[in-house]
Amino acid sequence: MASVIGKRIGGRTYYYLAESARVDGKPRVVGQRYLGTAEDIAAAVAGGGPEAAGARHRSFGDVSAVWGTLQRLDLVRRVDSVAGPQRARPTLGLHVALAVLHRATAPETEFEEWWTGCLAQDLVRPRPAKGSITTASHWRALQRLTPERIAAVETVVAEAVLELLGDDGTEALAVDVAQFAAFTAADCTLPSACQDVLAGLGLVVTRDGAIPLASRVYRREKAPTFGALAVELGERHTLVFHSGQAAQLDLGARTGFVGSLPLADHPELLARPASVRRRVDPERFAGLTAFDTVATVDGARRRVILLHSATLHAAQYRAFTSELSTTVRELDGLAAALAAGTHRGDRTQVHAEMSRIIRGRRVERVLNTALTGNRAGELRLERRVDDAAVARLAEEFFGKQILVTDRDWPVAEVVTAYRARTYLESTFRWLTGSAVAGPSPRWEWTSHRISVHALVSVLAATVTHLMRREADRAGMNLSVAELLDQLRGIGETLLRHRSTGGRPRTRRILSDRTGRQQALFELFGLERFAPG
């Protein structure tokens, strides 16, 4: 039962909407909502309301979706179970969760600045005491992450991921993210600090979704060859590699792999007509076709898949035509200089200049050049673009990739496994790039902080790739960056109304949502975090 009651405070009456119910047979007030003064109520009835004194906008969708995923993984409790008994508040588990939330949603913003205006303050329960979370206190808490605890945290989080995935998480891939390094020697103020710079990251990830389960960080001065790392990572998992790493592996003897091969190594496949290729999966891989066959690789007959992507073909064609245009412009400039007599080089010098312009480019396959004359001042240059050669080049190379594997998976699953490396490199480039906020100067990045940085980055990748997989299963094929960008577009405005004698009131309003944003809103259950 609802009723309006008034409370006399400081000589003014403030009204509340009270909800009453019987408790143990007796009427009790079980809830109340502040309505304001009589003037406030009158203005609201008339269609007005208290005048807004100010407004502030903050991101809602990405923060709430990531926090909800951290809750599903039960990250705070799992990390606290690893840390053991703690007197400090907030606990280590909450600090790790906030570090992951920060890295996933605002890696370019300094931690304390992010926390001060972030939705996370309204999501964390119980709410940390005011002033208890600062950059300094945050790093002091993370110092408790010993190497043993870091390993244990990865283990318990992997267990949580596998529990969510069920049978879908039983197959794992081993991937080397060679470009993981966030801090190069150029970032170091003191030479001694450069000795602990990260060089790379080996990961074990789920086959579906490329969700990290375990990591292996290695230092620049101790970096193993990819062949040695492949032995370590790929003993129990399917190894994923790219064409530049293929030479370090004996694919004739190896088992358990998905990788790519240099196009030039298999001209017989590139020459196959488009008619032999079949669409892979129009819903997941629009414009992707494949020819599934066998070929000799490192002396053994192996399954190879010739892929052609219409999207990649178009991008490579645009890049090639731009390169061709630049080359032609430079050749025409040289020809004009020769004709005007401003270039007085001899035939050998002009040939060298032409070679410099064309050298190392595929444009040399489509350009016909002729240099006439024998003496300086008499030399003339002519050039012609062979359109038929351009068409042949585009048909032979553009948009193509050759995958090799010993797995009997469907083509779509082989492609998914191979692209795990690309997805991960893209994610870590964003999570650990030059814009990521950190202590200054750079020499404050000790060996321990680098290890913590790696853990937080891996956990952020775990959470965001889990989210990307869920979106993909719901029919939204998005990269991690695209997913979070869509979620970030769901904003929240806080309207602060002027005080009429009581406490100033704040009203939360979510922004309008597009169809895709609404689908993500429902997929990640963001209603439970939305204003009531």
Side-chain angles (χ1 to χ4, degrees):
M1 179 178 178
S3 61
V4 176
I5 60 174
K7 296 183 181 180
R8 193 76 175 172
I9 304 174
R12 291 177 63 88
T13 302
Y14 301 94
Y15 293 92
Y16 295 80
L17 179 66
E19 294 286 343
S20 301
R22 287 191 173 275
V23 179
D24 296 330
K26 299 180 181 180
R28 293 283 189 272
V29 175
V30 295
Q32 60 182 15
R33 179 181 176 187
Y34 177 68
L35 299 177
T37 64
E39 292 82 1
D40 292 339
I41 296 173
V45 171
E51 183 182 354
R56 180 164 60 89
H57 185 78
R58 63 187 183 184
S59 182
F60 172 85
D62 56 340
V63 176
S64 54
V66 172
W67 184 253
T69 305
L70 289 169
Q71 287 182 324
R72 290 169 54 209
L73 292 172
D74 201 10
L75 185 83
V76 174
R77 184 194 63 79
R78 289 177 184 269
V79 174
D80 284 339
S81 70
V82 167
Q86 303 175 72
R87 289 184 298 176
R89 291 292 182 272
T91 65
L92 178 60
L94 180 57
H95 275 288
V96 171
L98 291 179
V100 174
L101 180 62
H102 169 236
R103 184 66 57 80
T105 59
E108 73 288 346
T109 305
E110 193 272 338
F111 178 81
E112 192 170 343
E113 177 187 348
W114 165 80
W115 168 255
T116 300
C118 184
L119 173 71
Q121 290 198 24
D122 294 331
L123 302 181
V124 175
R125 293 291 182 271
R127 189 167 184 169
K130 187 175 182 180
S132 63
I133 295 184
T134 64
T135 298
S137 66
H138 182 60
W139 275 108
R140 281 197 302 270
L142 296 181
Q143 284 179 351
R144 304 204 299 272
L145 284 169
T146 62
E148 294 75 20
R149 283 176 175 168
I150 287 175
V153 167
E154 278 198 342
T155 298
V156 297
V157 172
E159 291 171 353
V161 170
L162 294 176
E163 287 174 10
L164 286 178
L165 297 183
D167 292 340
D168 291 338
T170 55
E171 182 79 41
L173 308 174
V175 183
D176 177 40
V177 185
Q179 301 304 318
F180 174 69
F183 309 105
T184 64
D187 294 318
C188 295
T189 304
L190 299 181
S192 59
C194 300
Q195 297 176 3
D196 287 322
V197 171
L198 290 178
L201 179 72
L203 289 171
V204 174
V205 304
T206 61
R207 172 179 158 191
D208 182 7
I211 305 166
L213 301 174
S215 67
R216 197 284 210 186
V217 178
Y218 52 89
R219 310 294 181 191
R220 185 179 301 277
E221 74 277 7
K222 298 179 181 178
T225 64
F226 179 73
L229 191 65
V231 172
E232 179 180 345
L233 289 177
E235 287 182 342
R236 300 181 304 276
H237 312 292
T238 300
L239 181 70
V240 179
F241 61 90
H242 60 77
S243 58
Q245 298 167 325
Q248 300 184 49
L249 304 172
D250 182 2
L251 298 179
R254 186 174 186 86
T255 59
F257 60 87
V258 172
S260 61
L261 299 172
L263 293 179
D265 288 358
H266 294 275
E268 76 286 357
L269 287 177
L270 300 181
R272 299 300 295 263
S275 59
V276 304
R277 301 194 299 265
R278 299 291 179 265
R279 290 193 299 176
V280 176
D281 186 331
E283 293 186 3
R284 295 174 61 192
F285 305 112
L288 185 67
T289 57
F291 174 49
D292 194 351
T293 184
V294 294
T296 301
V297 180
D298 289 347
R301 299 292 284 173
R302 290 298 194 186
R303 180 189 182 191
V304 294
I305 302 170
L306 173 67
L307 298 177
H308 179 270
S309 165
T311 302
L312 178 61
H313 185 117
Q316 290 180 334
Y317 187 82
R318 287 193 299 270
F320 174 77
T321 54
S322 176
E323 182 182 44
L324 178 60
S325 176
T326 299
T327 303
V328 166
R329 186 168 59 250
E330 291 185 24
L331 287 175
D332 287 348
L334 177 59
L338 291 171
T342 57
H343 191 297
R344 304 296 296 178
D346 60 22
R347 191 176 182 86
T348 300
Q349 291 171 323
V350 174
H351 265 301
E353 185 72 5
M354 292 169 58
S355 297
R356 181 194 63 78
I357 294 173
I358 300 174
R359 182 187 303 122
R361 299 178 177 178
R362 284 184 174 174
V363 295
E364 62 185 347
R365 292 186 51 171
V366 305
L367 272 175
N368 294 322
T369 59
L371 184 65
T372 60
N374 294 310
R375 294 183 299 180
E378 299 178 353
L379 299 174
R380 297 293 182 267
L381 172 62
E382 296 180 354
R383 58 86 186 158
R384 183 178 66 86
V385 176
D386 187 340
D387 293 333
V390 172
R392 288 194 299 272
L393 180 67
E395 173 65 24
E396 183 178 355
F397 285 102
F398 292 170
K400 291 184 178 179
Q401 197 170 39
I402 298 175
L403 302 188
V404 59
T405 183
D406 65 338
R407 299 307 197 195
D408 60 358
W409 303 336
V411 171
E413 297 306 315
V414 176
V415 173
T416 298
Y418 179 74
R419 291 189 177 182
R421 183 187 59 82
T422 303
Y423 290 140
L424 288 163
E425 286 188 348
S426 175
T427 300
F428 281 109
R429 188 181 305 115
W430 156 60
L431 289 172
T432 64
S434 58
V436 173
S440 180
R442 287 296 196 189
W443 55 264
E444 291 186 7
W445 283 96
T446 62
S447 178
H448 176 261
R449 284 194 172 186
I450 288 174
S451 297
V452 172
H453 164 81
L455 173 67
V456 172
S457 299
V458 170
L459 293 180
T462 296
V463 171
T464 54
H465 276 250
L466 180 60
M467 292 167 57
R468 186 185 69 81
R469 176 187 179 275
E470 292 172 343
D472 185 66
R473 287 295 183 92
M476 290 173 278
N477 185 16
L478 301 168
S479 67
V480 166
E482 291 169 338
L483 171 63
L484 290 174
D485 188 57
Q486 287 287 327
L487 288 167
R488 196 174 295 114
I490 306 174
E492 180 184 70
T493 298
L494 284 75
L495 294 174
R496 183 169 54 83
H497 295 285
R498 296 187 185 280
S499 171
T500 55
R503 178 180 300 175
R505 289 176 295 156
T506 299
R507 183 183 179 195
R508 298 169 56 199
I509 304 174
L510 294 186
S511 62
D512 292 339
R513 298 182 285 279
T514 65
R516 173 163 283 183
Q517 288 170 343
Q518 181 60 33
L520 292 171
F521 187 92
E522 295 172 1
L523 175 65
F524 294 114
L526 303 190
E527 178 65 32
R528 66 188 188 278
F529 302 120

